[in-house]
Amino acid sequence: MSVDPAVLEGRALTKVYRMGDVDVHALRGVDLNLHAGELVVLLGASGSGKSTLLNILGGLDVPSGGTVVYRDHDLTAATERELTRYRREHVGFVFQFYNLIPSLTARENVALVTEIADDPLSPEDALGLVGLGERMDHFPAQLSGGEQQRVAIARAVAKRPDLLLCDEPTGALDYQTGIVVLEVIEAVNRELGTTTAVITHNAPVAAMADRVITLHDGRVMGEARNERRMAAKELRW
Amino acid sequence: MVRPLDRKLFRDLWRLKGQMATIALVVAAGIAAFVTLRGTHTSIQDARSAYYERQRFADVFARLERAPRSLLSRVEQVPGVSRADGRVLEPAMVPLPEVSEPLRAQVVSVGTEELQVLNQLHLRDGRWLEPGRSDEVLLLESFAVARKIKPGDRLPLVLNGKKRDVRVAGVVMSPEYVFAITAGDISPDPDRFAVMWMADEAIAATFQMEGAFNVLSVRLQPGASERAVIDALDRLLEPFGGTGAYGIGWQPSNRAIDGELAQLRSFSTVLPVIFLMVAALLVNVVLSRLVHLQRPEIATLKALGYSDFEVGFHFFELVLVILVLGAGVGVGVGGYFGNVMVDLYAVYFKFPNLSFRFDGASASAAVVISVVAALLGAFSAVQSVVSLPPAEAMRPPAPARYRRSLVDLLGLARVVGPSLHMIVRELQRRPLRTVFSALAISVSIGLMVIGGWYYDGIRELVHTQFHQAMREDVAVAFIEARPARALSDLAHTPGVLAAEGLRAVPVRFRSGHAHRDGAIFGYPEGGELRQLRDRYARLAPLPPDGVVLTDVLAEVLRVRPGDRVEVEIHEGQRGTKQLVVSGTVDDAMGLQGHMTADALARFMGETPKVNLALLRIDPTSSETIDARLKDLPYVASVTRRADLLARFESQSASMITTMSAIILLFAATITVGVVYNNARVALSIRARDLASLRVLGFTRGEISAILLGEMGLQVLLSLPLGLVFGRWLVVGIASTVDPEQWRMPVVITDRSYAIALSVALIAAVLSALLVRRRLDKLDLIGVLKTRE
Ligand SMILES: Nc1ncnc2c1ncn2[C@@H]1O[C@H](COP(=O)(O)OP(=O)(O)OP(=O)(O)O)[C@@H](O)[C@H]1O
Ligand SMILES: [Mg+2]
């Protein structure tokens, strides 16, 4: 597989949380590139800094030190307004707890994004993509966890993002459902060519990635490239 | 297509409808208060200026003894004067057959309809006087209506001691008698005070005033100095027995209107401000909670690329909906009450067309101000969460930290038990909210106290004035002061148990540049029917020499006991003399001097005289006494204290009940808004705890007690505060009443306090019950499952 130019470049990223008198070092100098079209899996123990890193890459948070460059935009120097634009135009998020708006139906949750995006999929198409064409008018409370997560993925990809960032998308799901969700992510990455990063606790999931990055205690401990991506369907854990 | 955020808005609104509605009610009360009071103010003010302009109401007035009409052209040469008009005004009496005692009246000279110069009459019914007929009058409408007198009816009239019959040609309104009182009256009595206009020649002939006048009205040129004109007129009129000119601000009818307008103005500022502050507080409380609950949603929206502004605005829209609702209801209700108020005023203020005018500009101002207030309340609530980086907002906020409470510190934990302890800790955790909420409820109670005082204060005034200060049964006013021994005539009338005389001399008090018109009263030694009393009817000392001044008067004149004050006598042998101020008294109304009868006689250089006879009578013979009195030629009026009292009460009753009811209703919205919203927010915060307690085996009643106990403590805290606050407000409002006319007693009865407290408690209990219903339906599993 050829190495495409990096879409997103993180350099020497650090993040320190100040908790009263103690400093919590969530990131202690992380370098990481995401290349166009690749699917990266981030592994690491709980508390190793995965979420922190992903939030910084997605413009949800700012690092204490280091730089993040998206194409030719330096996100570390960006204003709040520029960060908002970055998230709005380029990034799709999927969270462990889905984070749907409970008072909006599936379709409306997706429409929340298509409203403000430039060249979005229609909410119907996006929901079709995740196989929920039939459940569009249900409220989150009327959907199972896996269905909710698929709505969240539809919402994330409806804007045709350049980056799809998923923080433990299967964390709250059983095995079967988890596989379905991973299949959707895989399909989006393949069919739309969206650069994708997936955080997981689940080592076997790493098999579906182009590249696997392991974090430990705020540092990158290892990086591996898979010869062959395994289809999500074939994953077992 | 409806934007998804708007759908979320509507669904949130629907979920929070109870809270939205109660806040909207508070906003509505504020806006309604503004629209009602300001609109009433504008309506009266506009009606007045249009009326004055159309009828060419004068700017400066003066009374004098007698001056030739030729003086008028000299008056018109005074710099600043544009027109001058001289008329004859004389006291009269109307001995109506169906009324036991003769009624007071004034007759005023008037020319032909076209030739009226100033203070033109507005013909309401009938026709103008027929030229050459001396037995026709035009009658003031308020009296005509009160006595059901129509054009064509005949009236008995005593003029200059002679009785005659006159025919009512027409019924009129006059800008001089919009509020039908004369100087020295406490309240208008339209059915006992008649004003009649008669042809010039007829009056002149009766009072030997041919070619002369005794009342001067002057209209000023634009920009002219009233002060300068008054000074010039005083010099000019001095030789003709002028008693001192005064500006429109001292014209009795106009001054009464001014006083009412000033009160409306201060109410229309204070009330809306209070309501809008409470609304802002409630918006803040409710929105803080909502935003807190929606932290993850806010974070998600931001993660999806919505800007701070878009997210913040979404919550502001919620507030805007409250405002639109509140403003709509407020403007509607305000318009309705405005009509009610103006109708009430129309009973007292006789303008040709006084109707409530909806004041669009001030209504929009009120709405804009309420938007600003509510947005201020919303801003601090929303801003803190919206400005969090999304990653942080996505994490639940740090668990609430509880500190050891007062209860712990005082070692009371064992005594109060865990439930009460939870309550105290909760209140203590949000001290500001607790304090502000308690303050808001106390404001509400305070307003209700005002409502009660409105009733009590006037009752008290009536009580002190009519029961304690005036102890006679009948007061007989003489046309002119008579020697004190004339009293024995009256005293020997069968049925009269006691008679005392009172001397009243109209004067102008002067000291330096300051001066005021008033009267000096002389009290007989050992008199019991009227004595010098302060506004609470407490007896005040009356030294044998010198004069005791109303304290407001002493302040205006800048004199103190021991100082001298100049007194211009406006009666009989005129002249100016000096008097030593021997003390001051806080009496209830008007500006007076008080002396012993002997000291006053010495001062006047006369043998003791009286102008007012005070009688105690045997009630069974009151009829015969009335008949006797009516026939006495020197009697100007006969007033029974009981009638005065009944009239005063019936007149003020409707105004007071309406005002009190409106105030109570409006004030209650605050208590409902505060208690209901606080309880809802507390429920939302504590739902999990309470559900856990239920799972542990607590009963519904027990968990309700914990939650509502919180509210109860807040309300209890606010009760004493509210009473104190109410009294404080009352003192403030009492001071907006023109102090030179009235010194309202600040008396609030236990009844008023009790009403305020009970209405607040009822409102609180009803709100609590609404929340209790929700508490009973608490979904144990649902609550425990949701993560927070
Ligand atoms: N807001 C915060 N304040 C203080 N410390 C924080 C905060 N957010 C994260 N941390 C700390 O930073 C470290 C990294 O957290 P992070 O959430 O990135 O870990 P993670 O790898 O995503 O873990 P998990 O697999 O459990 O989600 C942890 O030690 C965590 O306690
Ligand atoms: Mg994590």
Side-chain angles (χ1 to χ4, degrees):
Chain A
M1 203 174 184
S2 68
V3 177
D4 290 305
V7 179
L8 191 68
E9 263 188 62
R11 281 288 157 272
L13 293 172
T14 60
K15 179 77 185 179
V16 185
Y17 292 107
R18 179 141 284 155
M19 299 276 292
D21 303 336
V22 263
D23 287 349
V24 180
H25 292 265
L27 297 179
R28 301 170 185 270
V30 172
D31 296 325
L32 173 117
N33 290 353
L34 293 180
H35 301 283
E38 71 173 340
L39 194 158
V40 174
V41 164
L42 284 168
L43 285 176
S46 183
S48 57
K50 306 180 295 291
S51 297
T52 306
L53 177 61
L54 202 74
N55 287 343
I56 289 172
L57 296 181
L60 292 186
D61 210 346
V62 286
S64 309
T67 54
V68 185
V69 178
Y70 172 77
R71 296 195 203 272
D72 23 350
H73 300 290
D74 183 357
L75 297 184
T76 25
T79 61
E80 175 54 40
R81 176 187 300 251
E82 288 161 340
L83 275 184
T84 300
R85 239 185 64 196
Y86 166 64
R87 295 196 297 265
R88 187 176 193 137
E89 292 173 0
H90 305 292
V91 187
F93 282 101
V94 177
F95 304 100
Q96 177 176 2
F97 294 108
Y98 335 129
N99 282 38
L100 299 179
I101 306 292
S103 53
L104 296 180
T105 62
R107 189 209 307 264
E108 289 158 359
N109 260 288
V110 179
L112 215 43
V113 165
T114 57
E115 260 260 326
I116 57 169
D118 268 346
D119 173 29
L121 302 174
S122 72
E124 291 74 16
D125 288 349
L127 283 166
L129 203 64
V130 298
L132 281 180
E134 307 293 293
R135 310 294 301 273
M136 289 194 290
D137 293 321
H138 288 96
F139 284 94
Q142 299 166 318
L143 298 172
S144 75
E147 287 160 347
Q148 288 184 53
Q149 192 60 300
R150 276 144 70 196
V151 175
I153 294 172
R155 186 175 69 180
V157 301
K159 70 168 79 156
R160 304 182 204 268
D162 299 305
L163 286 172
L164 178 62
L165 305 180
C166 312
D167 192 346
E168 300 191 39
T170 61
L173 304 175
D174 62 33
Y175 165 75
Q176 295 271 311
T177 324
I179 294 292
V180 176
V181 165
L182 289 176
E183 276 181 323
V184 172
I185 292 172
E186 178 181 56
V188 169
N189 172 258
R190 270 215 158 84
E191 286 158 31
L192 304 178
T194 311
T195 309
T196 307
V198 179
I199 291 182
T200 179
H201 268 123
N202 248 341
V205 174
M208 70 180 276
D210 292 310
R211 213 148 50 96
V212 184
I213 294 172
T214 312
L215 287 187
H216 179 74
D217 195 17
R219 293 198 178 81
V220 176
M221 216 186 51
E223 182 183 335
R225 184 168 291 279
N226 287 330
E227 288 304 304
R228 194 186 72 84
R229 273 167 60 163
M230 197 185 277
K233 228 187 346 242
E234 302 163 25
L235 298 176
R236 290 290 177 275
W237 65 84
Chain B
M1 192 197 123
V2 188
R3 293 167 54 226
L5 263 191
D6 293 334
R7 284 180 194 273
K8 171 176 177 308
L9 180 75
F10 292 135
R11 291 180 189 140
D12 285 347
L13 272 173
W14 186 244
R15 257 185 327 110
L16 296 172
K17 54 188 178 298
Q19 284 161 279
M20 300 293 128
T22 48
I23 300 177
L25 270 184
V26 175
V27 173
I31 290 182
F34 191 82
V35 168
T36 304
L37 297 169
R38 199 38 78 95
T40 304
H41 179 270
T42 327
S43 305
I44 294 176
Q45 200 173 36
D46 290 358
R48 178 174 73 167
S49 49
Y51 186 43
Y52 282 3
E53 196 47 48
R54 206 170 48 235
Q55 309 306 125
R56 304 179 53 76
F57 189 48
D59 298 309
V60 174
F61 306 79
R63 301 280 299 255
L64 48 146
E65 216 156 299
R66 178 197 173 99
R69 298 196 63 83
S70 55
L71 186 67
L72 290 176
S73 57
R74 277 174 63 199
V75 169
E76 287 188 342
Q77 275 152 24
V78 168
V81 170
S82 85
R83 280 313 290 276
D85 184 22
R87 292 172 301 165
V88 177
L89 184 149
E90 295 288 350
M93 272 191 315
V94 181
L96 284 180
E98 71 271 24
V99 186
S100 59
E101 77 278 357
L103 303 175
R104 277 186 310 137
Q106 287 182 348
V107 287
V108 189
S109 65
V110 66
T112 60
E113 187 164 16
E114 303 72 39
L115 283 182
Q116 301 184 82
V117 183
L118 300 177
N119 309 320
Q120 296 172 354
L121 301 176
H122 175 75
L123 189 64
R124 297 276 287 177
D125 196 7
R127 57 164 175 78
W128 201 262
L129 303 174
E130 206 167 282
R133 290 196 60 166
S134 60
D135 65 339
E136 281 189 352
V137 296
L138 298 170
L139 183 62
L140 186 66
E141 191 189 50
S142 55
F143 183 78
V145 169
R147 291 286 173 192
K148 302 198 171 58
I149 297 169
K150 299 251 152 19
D153 291 354
R154 303 196 73 84
L155 275 184
L157 187 63
V158 179
L159 275 184
N160 210 5
K162 278 180 291 228
K163 191 172 162 189
R164 58 158 103 178
D165 256 16
V166 291
R167 196 172 160 278
V168 176
V171 166
V172 294
M173 277 186 172
S174 158
E176 285 176 282
Y177 299 97
V178 170
F179 194 63
I181 58 169
T182 53
D185 266 357
I186 347 172
S187 73
D189 32 3
D191 60 334
R192 307 179 55 91
F193 174 58
V195 183
M196 282 171 236
W197 285 263
M198 285 180 98
D200 285 329
E201 320 82 58
I203 292 194
T206 315
F207 292 93
Q208 291 86 47
M209 290 289 282
E210 286 93 349
F213 65 93
N214 65 5
V215 193
L216 175 69
S217 309
V218 159
R219 207 162 151 96
L220 300 181
Q221 286 163 356
S225 150
E226 184 188 283
R227 191 66 259 158
V229 170
I230 288 176
D231 288 344
L233 288 182
D234 281 352
R235 280 192 300 275
L236 201 58
L237 299 179
E238 168 86 69
F240 302 97
T243 58
Y246 52 90
I248 191 170
W250 288 90
Q251 201 271 339
S253 155
N254 187 59
R255 187 171 178 81
I257 303 172
D258 275 344
E260 209 57 45
L261 287 177
Q263 269 207 65
L264 281 173
R265 211 165 29 239
S266 57
F267 268 115
S268 73
T269 319
V270 173
L271 285 185
V273 165
I274 290 178
F275 282 101
L276 294 181
M277 271 165 47
V278 173
L281 169 74
L282 294 181
V283 163
N284 184 276
V285 168
V286 170
L287 221 54
S288 297
R289 181 58 192 165
L290 183 67
V291 164
H292 174 90
L293 282 180
Q294 297 203 348
R295 245 173 104 106
E297 293 174 47
I298 292 170
T300 306
L301 288 173
K302 289 186 67 174
L304 294 179
Y306 281 87
S307 66
D308 289 4
F309 177 80
E310 286 165 311
V311 178
F313 189 75
H314 168 67
F315 288 96
F316 287 150
E317 280 178 314
L318 209 75
V319 178
L320 285 179
V321 172
I322 300 179
L323 287 173
V324 168
L325 276 176
V329 173
V331 167
V333 170
Y336 173 77
F337 282 132
N339 274 304
V340 173
M341 282 275 277
V342 167
D343 284 351
L344 282 174
Y345 273 114
V347 175
Y348 302 93
F349 292 154
K350 296 299 181 187
F351 292 106
N353 36 25
L354 175 61
S355 56
F356 181 70
R357 230 201 59 205
F358 179 76
D359 183 353
S362 41
S364 353
V367 173
V368 169
I369 294 168
S370 58
V371 169
V372 173
L375 289 191
L376 279 182
F379 187 77
S380 62
V382 171
Q383 201 259 349
S384 58
V385 174
V386 164
S387 61
L388 285 180
E392 197 160 319
M394 213 157 291
R395 275 183 297 270
R401 248 177 277 163
Y402 290 86
R403 273 168 301 143
R404 290 167 62 77
S405 70
L406 269 179
V407 175
D408 299 303
L409 295 178
L410 297 177
L412 293 176
R414 216 159 317 138
V415 186
V416 302
S419 304
L420 187 53
H421 203 168
M422 278 176 83
I423 296 173
V424 173
R425 283 208 184 123
E426 198 57 41
L427 287 175
Q428 211 187 340
R429 199 163 72 80
R430 301 171 186 277
L432 268 189
R433 176 173 300 174
T434 307
V435 167
F436 279 133
S437 303
L439 276 182
I441 299 175
S442 45
V443 168
S444 151
I445 296 172
L447 290 176
M448 298 187 213
V449 170
I450 296 183
W453 168 75
Y454 227 80
Y455 188 85
D456 290 343
I458 294 191
R459 285 304 301 256
E460 175 67 17
L461 190 84
V462 166
H463 181 72
T464 55
Q465 291 309 308
F466 294 124
H467 291 293
Q468 290 181 274
M470 305 178 174
R471 299 185 172 208
E472 76 278 5
D473 296 317
V474 178
V476 182
F478 300 149
I479 292 176
E480 266 180 329
R482 300 175 62 74
R485 61 192 135 69
L487 272 182
S488 60
D489 260 13
L490 291 174
H492 290 119
T493 308
V496 172
L497 306 177
E500 284 178 16
L502 204 64
R503 175 76 168 113
V505 182
V507 297
R508 171 168 292 191
F509 299 96
R510 205 186 265 289
S511 168
H513 286 294
H515 65 79
R516 287 290 185 275
D517 293 334
I520 298 183
F521 289 95
Y523 300 86
E525 202 184 332
E528 285 180 349
L529 298 181
R530 293 222 196 153
Q531 288 161 291
L532 178 54
R533 288 171 190 272
D534 69 7
R535 68 166 123 164
Y536 297 97
R538 292 178 298 227
L539 277 176
L542 190 60
D545 288 305
V547 62
V548 174
L549 296 182
T550 299
D551 54 5
V552 182
L553 177 61
E555 251 167 62
V556 173
L557 299 175
R558 294 167 192 273
V559 293
R560 289 198 222 157
D563 293 350
R564 288 175 168 276
V565 62
E566 226 173 278
V567 176
E568 265 174 43
I569 299 167
H570 287 172
E571 189 210 81
Q573 312 278 335
R574 288 156 188 282
T576 301
K577 298 187 193 175
Q578 303 254 322
L579 262 178
V580 175
V581 179
S582 57
T584 61
V585 61
D586 173 25
D587 50 4
M589 57 198 140
L591 303 177
Q592 286 112 15
H594 307 273
M595 302 173 81
T596 62
D598 289 344
L600 183 55
R602 280 199 303 279
F603 172 70
M604 295 289 292
E606 62 187 22
T607 49
K609 287 183 177 173
V610 296
N611 345 35
L612 196 65
L614 308 169
L615 308 180
R616 271 276 174 82
I617 61 170
D618 172 3
T620 55
S621 49
S622 87
E623 303 268 304
T624 48
I625 295 174
D626 284 338
R628 277 289 306 273
L629 291 177
K630 241 175 18 171
D631 285 345
L632 295 175
Y634 54 84
V635 169
S637 73
V638 177
T639 315
R640 276 158 192 270
R641 195 193 51 168
D643 292 350
L644 210 58
L645 181 61
R647 191 167 59 245
F648 193 88
E649 292 199 326
S650 75
Q651 265 176 12
S652 30
S654 60
M655 186 69 153
I656 293 169
T657 356
T658 313
M659 282 296 280
S660 300
I662 294 179
I663 293 177
L664 272 185
L665 189 71
F666 280 21
T669 63
I670 293 185
T671 302
V672 170
V674 171
V675 174
Y676 181 76
N677 282 294
N678 272 326
R680 280 291 303 269
V681 166
L683 173 59
S684 147
I685 295 175
R686 320 267 313 272
R688 273 155 81 80
D689 301 357
L690 297 176
S692 312
L693 290 178
R694 288 273 285 131
V695 173
L696 291 178
F698 277 65
T699 64
R700 285 177 185 172
E702 283 162 340
I703 60 164
S704 303
I706 290 177
L707 184 82
L708 299 178
E710 230 173 280
M711 303 304 114
L713 266 186
Q714 233 167 43
V715 173
L716 281 184
L717 198 65
S718 61
L719 295 183
L721 254 179
L723 299 186
V724 172
F725 192 68
R727 190 178 171 82
W728 186 70
L729 277 176
V730 164
V731 171
I733 288 173
S735 71
T736 66
V737 179
D738 179 1
E740 295 192 19
Q741 258 183 332
W742 285 100
R743 271 84 56 189
M744 284 289 270
V746 176
V747 170
I748 304 163
T749 57
D750 293 346
R751 182 178 152 279
S752 296
Y753 282 134
I755 290 181
L757 293 185
S758 347
V759 173
L761 281 176
I762 291 171
V765 167
L766 286 181
S767 321
L769 284 181
L770 282 178
V771 177
R772 157 95 202 228
R773 264 199 353 204
R774 294 190 157 255
L775 207 51
D776 288 347
K777 285 189 272 179
L778 198 61
D779 168 11
L780 297 189
I781 299 161
V783 168
L784 294 179
K785 224 167 47 180
T786 52
R787 85 196 164 92
E788 192 183 319

